[in-house]
Amino acid sequence: MLMKIFFKFKNLKYLFLVFISACIDNAPLDSLSPEGPYARSIDELFWLTFWIAVIIFVLVQGALLVSVLLFRDKPNKPEPKQVHGNTKLEIIWTVIPVLILAFIAVPTVRTIFDLAREPEDALKIEVIGHQWWFEYKYPDYGITTANVLVIPSDRPVRLEMWSNDVLHNYWVPKLNGKRYLVPGQKTYLNLHADNPDEFWAQCGEYCGLSHSKMRGRVISLSENDFNLWINNEQQNALKLEDGSLAAEGQSVFLNAGCTQCHVINGVWDTQGDRIAPNLTHFAARTVFAGAALENNKENLTNWLANPAKIKPGTFMPNLELTEAEINALIAYLGTLK
Ligand code: CUA
């Protein structure tokens, strides 16, 4: 009995936690605060449907309360008139919901088609899902990057997406709804941010051990900043020849096994795709490891020492690097701007 009460109390506590979590103001994955036209059209549809549901709820519950109070059984009161099987009433309360649904269907279908249409001046970007990170390719510019999706704020982008392994789901709550990334099949999603800003993304489909760490950042830039970013990304990394710590790190990169999976354009180019993020401009990215970690020295040290401790199941192996090798690698990664 005591255990039962305890469990009830515990569950209430969790319910309370869920309730107060809605009060958080730093909520980068909040789908109720749209910051672009696509997310806003979904939001408007949601609120329209919500308020219609509220009106129906109040009317139905009100009618129920009135019926219960007015017609409840009292001593010496005759049984109220029975309406079971009344054809007229049956037709009325069947037709009303049909009309309500038909009314909601109009903006719903329109929004679905609006969201699916390819915008005329859209920039095409490819999104490839991997366990557990997102890869981005800009076919018009010959750029390959990861974890941080950089988009222009002055025009929409059209994402062409697929998965390299299992089902993933691309979701930037402030910019649009979710869309699946399917192995062997292309899906499409439009993004457009109102202003230059940073947004959070999250894989929205369970895809294995580190699904929760499969995150992303979307950075929208003004036209000028976006062009600068493109120009920088198109540059190859320089091959270091000096005797600096960074040059030592470059030789760790080339000899310790990193090249099995990673590419650094201009230093280690390969034909075809590799299974890990392209590191050519690693230092220009604010996050790494599926956007699970901020790009700083402490996080890099922990990650390189034991990747699976941070992302369970990750395909990045523990290369048993020494502290000196890790420090040199971090110095080298810092030059990849
Ligand atoms: Cu990818 Cu969950």
Side-chain angles (χ1 to χ4, degrees), residues 264-306:
I264 295 179
N265 303 343
V267 174
W268 177 255
D269 297 307
T270 54
Q271 297 297 316
D273 287 335
R274 290 307 223 188
I275 65 159
N278 183 309
L279 300 177
T280 312
H281 296 281
F282 179 81
R285 307 203 280 255
T286 50
V287 287
F288 71 102
L293 296 173
E294 298 288 331
N295 191 349
N296 61 40
K297 186 160 188 242
E298 190 193 345
N299 287 338
L300 275 170
T301 307
N302 294 334
W303 172 253
L304 292 169
N306 189 357

Side-chain angles (χ1 to χ4, degrees), residues 52-74:
I52 290 173
V54 166
I55 293 168
I56 294 167
F57 179 83
V58 170
L59 288 178
V60 171
Q61 297 303 313
L64 189 66
L65 271 179
V66 167
S67 311
V68 166
L69 293 175
L70 281 185
F71 303 110
R72 70 183 188 278
D73 191 22
K74 279 185 202 147

Side-chain angles (χ1 to χ4, degrees), residues 130 132 134 167-169 203-207 211 214:
H130 299 261
W132 289 275
F134 292 108
L167 269 186
H168 300 281
N169 189 306
C203 177
E205 174 70 21
Y206 182 71
C207 54
H211 151 72
M214 187 168 172

Side-chain angles (χ1 to χ4, degrees), residues 30-34 39-55 103-104 107-108 111:
D30 182 5
S31 57
L32 293 176
S33 53
R40 200 170 301 111
S41 68
I42 297 174
D43 194 60
E44 281 161 6
L45 181 63
F46 167 75
W47 284 111
L48 174 72
T49 316
F50 177 81
W51 287 116
I52 290 173
V54 166
I55 293 168
F103 178 77
I104 294 176
T108 304
T111 305

Side-chain angles (χ1 to χ4, degrees), residues 38 41 107-119 190:
Y38 298 110
S41 68
T108 304
V109 172
R110 192 196 307 138
T111 305
I112 290 172
F113 278 91
D114 282 351
L115 289 173
R117 195 176 306 121
E118 180 171 1
N190 300 329

